[in-house]
Amino acid sequence: MWKDLDISFEKSDTLKPKPDPTNLGFGVHFTDHMFVMKWDKEQGWHDARILPYHSFSIDPAATVLHYGQAIFEGLKAYRKHDGQIYLFRPADNFTRMNDGAVRMSMPRFPADSALKALKALVYLDRSWVPEEEGSSLYLRPTMIGTDPYLGLKPADSYLFYIIMSPVAAYYAEGFSPTRIYVCKDYVRAVRGGVGAVKTGGNYGAAMLATVEAQRQGYIQVLWLDGCEHRYIEEVGTSNIFFHIGDTLITPALTGSILPGITRDSVLTLARSWDIEVEERPITIDEALAASRDGSLRECFATGTAAVISPVGELHYEDVSYPINDGQSGPLALRFYKELQAIQYGWADDPHNWRVAVG
Ligand code: COI
């Protein structure tokens, strides 16, 4: 579809000091290099370059700054004990990003070239992929509209870039039960909107509810649907699963939920383990009734940043519902261990999810 892009390299001559690997946080430090490429109507995608990490100069009238033409992805590079580095399902991230580009009236990009650039970038900055278990190099492909024009229309020029950040677990507490606030006052997305797209506005719009929940001691918000405020959508920056009786249930992808790659991986693993799986609408009433009658065995969130995050408590309309006595459950742990083993290269990869770098 596209001719393969030539990628030029400019190596940084001043390498940054590495952060303390035992205190990485999330998204605080950035590696020595980044990838950029440009798009305009005349040339299409062009000028693909790996450059020293640098700040941009951007016109104050750029479309992204006013009308939010911005999409991004999150994926990770993992280091095995022997030094081999792997990416996890990177092509799926680029497919999702291209789907998002269409929804946001932005140009699709050549995913093969982007993957080639991503691999070259990770290889160049491979000394930044941390060794500590649970840590990884978080990769953030991003596309923004750069046109200086205040009329409302899709931009005529775009910048695609990839930056990389060595990270620890997203929640400082690691794999441990979280307290989640079920949000009725605000909604994240509605059907027909952009809830399925990783676009900045979804995250900006989520901040107020999240901060209010955090002020009350909850780590994240569980979003309900935008019309009836009954159907469960997703939790914070992740998808959500309920283990009720012998069935693993997750909300179906209706357009207002992010089609998570970790979500899909969990569904695939569950099916391969002969666990009954349902992707279907689930109301908050159903989940809480299952909590009351004891059939809700576990609840957990899934995402690239959060991996598998057990939910120990749901708080809804002034009542707290402990799940699995507030403890992490065995199924969440099994997914967490299996996914990590595949991602870090410690286990076989029967679904061909790993992509070796170098
Ligand atoms: C991810 O899981 O990659 C995300 O995008 C979460 C991010 C908003 C921290």
Side-chain angles (χ1 to χ4, degrees), residues 26 72-75 96 138 140 170 198 203 237 303-306:
F26 189 93
F72 69 91
E73 272 302 323
L75 69 161
R96 182 171 68 183
Y138 185 74
R140 177 52 71 87
Y170 188 63
K198 267 184 110 63
Y203 295 79
T237 60
T304 297

Side-chain angles (χ1 to χ4, degrees), residues 152-280:
L152 184 59
K153 70 167 187 62
D156 285 334
S157 56
Y158 293 86
L159 189 65
F160 177 106
Y161 61 91
I162 305 174
I163 52 175
M164 311 196 294
S165 172
V167 297
Y170 188 63
Y171 298 120
E173 303 79 13
F175 182 84
S176 56
T178 51
R179 301 177 67 219
I180 302 290
Y181 186 89
V182 184
C183 183
K184 273 195 90 174
D185 299 335
Y186 307 103
V187 296
R188 176 184 171 276
V190 290
R191 286 191 197 184
V194 292
V197 178
K198 267 184 110 63
T199 183
N202 283 337
Y203 295 79
M207 284 180 189
L208 180 61
T210 309
V211 168
E212 286 181 5
Q214 286 172 348
R215 238 183 251 134
Q216 297 177 62
Y218 300 93
I219 200 158
Q220 281 291 357
V221 158
L222 176 64
W223 299 105
L224 302 178
D225 74 280
C227 291
E228 296 182 51
H229 297 206
R230 289 175 60 214
Y231 292 96
I232 291 171
E233 298 239 304
E234 56 182 71
V235 59
T237 60
S238 316
N239 295 115
I240 189 151
F241 285 79
F242 296 89
H243 192 199
I244 301 182
D246 289 327
T247 308
L248 188 62
I249 304 168
T250 193
L253 300 177
T254 53
S256 54
I257 296 173
L258 192 82
I261 289 158
T262 314
R263 172 189 183 277
D264 182 72
S265 306
V266 162
L267 288 171
T268 304
L269 288 177
R271 288 184 178 115
S272 75
W273 295 341
D274 289 329
I275 294 172
E276 197 183 318
V277 164
E278 291 178 3
E279 291 177 76
R280 64 162 171 86

